[in-house]
Every structure is written in structure tokens, then in C-alpha cells.
Amino acid sequence: VQLTESGGGSVQSGGSLRLSCAISGLVHSSYCIVWLRQRPRGEREGVAAIDSDSVVSYREEVVGRFTITRDKVNNRVDLEMNMLRPEDTARYYCVAGSGVMYYSDGVNKCDWDVMGQGTQVTVSS
């Protein structure tokens, strides 16, 4: 499986960006695609996820601002990000794994084992 992210950039607070994850070589009928991010000096954290059953999940702080969608025809998963804030500044990664989303320890989770190179998002105040 190969994942290639695109669409990052620099915007002002309140602006929008659309990230895309191009997916190739995914052969599993059940899978989960997740957008992770790593803020400067921060840990990697889940932002949004979608699985092969079209179940979606979002990090609480992005609910109502970010939307994850899947384009089956073009083998792509997009992350539409609106009302961006300076704290959204991070490197965003697309990750993928077999199996659908599941609920554990109070949160939705996806197992993943492939990660793209990431794309930088910078939001200025």
C-alpha cells in the first residue's frame, strides 16, 4: 500500500484547506483510513477516520470544522478543513490499515500499518 498526501499550505486563521490522500495497492475489502497530525513539539494524534463501511469519526476539537470523505472511484480520501485555527498547525499524515473502525477504551480506533510522508499545514493568526 502506498499513500501520498497533498494539499497542505499556509493560511490565515479562519481559512480553509483540503488535504488529499491518494491510495494505491489497497486490496483489503475491510480497511480504515485515518488522518493523523503532529503539532510542533507534540505527539501524533488522530484527527479523522473513515472505514470501508463509511463509518466516520472525528477528534472532538475538529467536529463541525473538518470533514473526511472517501472517493472510491479515484482511490482517494480527502480532509476538508474549514475555520482553521493556529492550533491546527501541524504536519498531517494519512495512514491506512486492514479492518474496520472499532470502539475501545472510550474512543473509536483503527489499526494501521502504513503511513504517508505527510503534508504541512500552517495557520497564522
Side-chain angles (χ1 to χ4, degrees), residues 95-122:
V95 302
S98 60
V100 296
M101 203 178 307
Y102 60 94
Y103 189 77
S104 177
D105 297 327
V107 297
N108 290 317
K109 295 184 178 180
C110 286
D111 294 328
W112 58 270
D113 53 9
V114 181
M115 174 184 276
Q117 292 299 307
T119 185
Q120 180 66 34
V121 171
T122 302

Side-chain angles (χ1 to χ4, degrees):
V1 178
Q2 186 170 0
L3 308 173
T4 306
E5 303 93 334
S6 62
S10 297
V11 296
Q12 291 191 326
S13 181
S16 298
L17 284 172
R18 187 178 186 91
L19 305 184
S20 287
C21 175
I23 304 165
S24 62
L26 186 62
V27 298
H28 301 291
S29 58
S30 295
Y31 58 85
C32 198
I33 309 296
V34 185
W35 280 100
L36 303 178
R37 69 184 179 189
Q38 188 161 16
R39 301 175 185 175
R41 297 175 296 279
E43 294 185 353
R44 198 179 296 155
E45 58 190 25
V47 176
I50 187 167
D51 69 14
S52 47
D53 290 340
S54 298
V55 176
V56 298
S57 180
Y58 296 96
R59 185 177 191 81
E60 186 175 348
E61 66 188 84
V62 306
V63 171
R65 301 190 298 123
F66 292 11
T67 303
I68 188 169
T69 55
R70 182 181 54 168
D71 183 340
K72 293 182 182 180
V73 174
N74 295 303
N75 292 323
R76 198 178 73 200
V77 170
D78 292 347
L79 184 67
E80 179 75 27
M81 305 188 296
N82 299 312
M83 295 181 284
L84 282 162
R85 305 167 180 170
E87 54 265 38
D88 293 319
T89 294
R91 190 161 185 86
Y92 285 71
Y93 298 88
C94 178
V95 302
S98 60
V100 296
M101 203 178 307
Y102 60 94
Y103 189 77
S104 177
D105 297 327
V107 297
N108 290 317
K109 295 184 178 180
C110 286
D111 294 328
W112 58 270
D113 53 9
V114 181
M115 174 184 276
Q117 292 299 307
T119 185
Q120 180 66 34
V121 171
T122 302
V123 185
S124 58
S125 57

